[in-house]
Amino acid sequence: MRNQPHKRVLITGGAGFLGSHLCQRLLGDRHDVLCVDNFYTGTKDNIAELLKDPRFELLRHDVTFPLYVEVDEIYNLACPASPIYYQFDPIQTTKTSVHGAINLLGLAKRVKARILQASTSEVYGDPEMHPQRESYWGHVNPIGDRSCYDEGKRCAETLFFDYYRQHRLEIKVARIFNTYGPRMGIGDGRVVSNFIVQALRGDPITIYGDGSQTRSFCYVDDLVAALVLLMGTPADVVGPMNLGNQGEVTVKRLAEMVISLTKSKSKLTYRNLPNDDPTRRCPDISLARERLGWTPNVPLEEGLQRTIEYFRAIAETRPSVEVHGDAR
Ligand SMILES: NC(=O)c1ccc[n+]([C@@H]2O[C@H](COP(=O)([O-])OP(=O)(O)OC[C@H]3O[C@@H](n4cnc5c(N)ncnc54)[C@H](O)[C@@H]3O)[C@@H](O)[C@H]2O)c1
């Protein structure tokens, strides 16, 4: 099946931010897309347009339970990605990563599908090495508030590599760094969405710490392109592979850019840093450059502008959504 251009693709977490863009991209490539989601953080609004396409199917399902479907490729994105949501029910977060990985790897084994895991830069924890290379094992707190996410994703990676070694499964592990764009959750506390919503409302922009911590932000279209390229690589390319944008920006500078692009009158306000907040986050993407021939090409200013347009439209329809704090 794999050599045929038309594939049946399963995307777990397909109604979420990244998942909905990936569904859209694969439908555009004329594949059949099965979106599986329990709508924990994803929304029907994110995929409303896609429902019109006969190649698109939606299944409400929790990946912590087994799933029996016939597919050629699986992108496993199901997992809340924002600290507010993954810390709300940390046990469920670990289950989603670990039981979810077991169930989907079992499915991939049964139907001989290729499977890609959406892992995260958080597997590096608060890194002592910059930029982070894939060979770095990380500096992770196993018992903190964020551990359900970080350790859940680490365990999922372990499972992927054990299925690869033990059952010769065709795996791909992507370590995704901060990604932003339209359809990020409006009140989910991620730094880009927070700043944009606060700026559009003219509210103070909340910076945690002194704002000198850096982040690197990848626009969603660039990231989705990389995921599709990684899925299409030869079987010996398994990862883990860092995917992200290397352009580092301080959180304070980001806030200033958002204020300028939205022409907002918002002022900056400072609060204490949350626990285990990494001071610096920057990928080394040499491996992705070499194996995928990929580099992100949407400049931060342009990506922010497109994201602002999306939030402007949303803010008009949902003015009362609370903005939560986080610095990631
Ligand atoms: N956005 C980023 O910057 C980023 C960075 C690193 C890694 N990732 C990873 O990429 C994936 C997608 O992230 P996102 O930003 O789109 O987050 P998101 O919260 O928007 O999407 C996650 C999706 O998974 C669904 N989901 C959660 N638990 C589920 C379960 N038990 N069963 C079925 N569906 C479930 C949610 O409803 C949602 O639609 C996640 O695995 C995340 O860890 C994202």
Side-chain angles (χ1 to χ4, degrees), residues 222-237:
D222 281 333
L223 195 276
V224 163
L227 292 179
V228 174
L229 284 170
L230 177 57
M231 183 63 108
T233 48
D236 67 316
V237 182

Side-chain angles (χ1 to χ4, degrees), residues 53-110:
D53 190 326
R55 291 177 190 271
F56 183 73
E57 254 182 296
L58 172 64
L59 177 66
R60 180 193 282 268
H61 174 82
D62 184 325
V63 296
T64 61
F65 296 97
L67 178 65
Y68 299 92
V69 287
E70 292 291 325
V71 289
D72 306 304
E73 288 181 349
I74 304 169
Y75 289 85
N76 185 31
L77 272 62
C79 186
S82 132
I84 290 172
Y85 292 118
Y86 71 62
Q87 288 172 16
F88 176 74
D89 186 348
I91 295 170
Q92 174 66 13
T93 300
T94 303
K95 279 187 181 169
T96 294
S97 277
V98 177
H99 293 198
I102 291 170
N103 288 328
L104 290 153
L105 287 161
L107 171 66
K109 180 170 169 253
R110 274 194 301 278

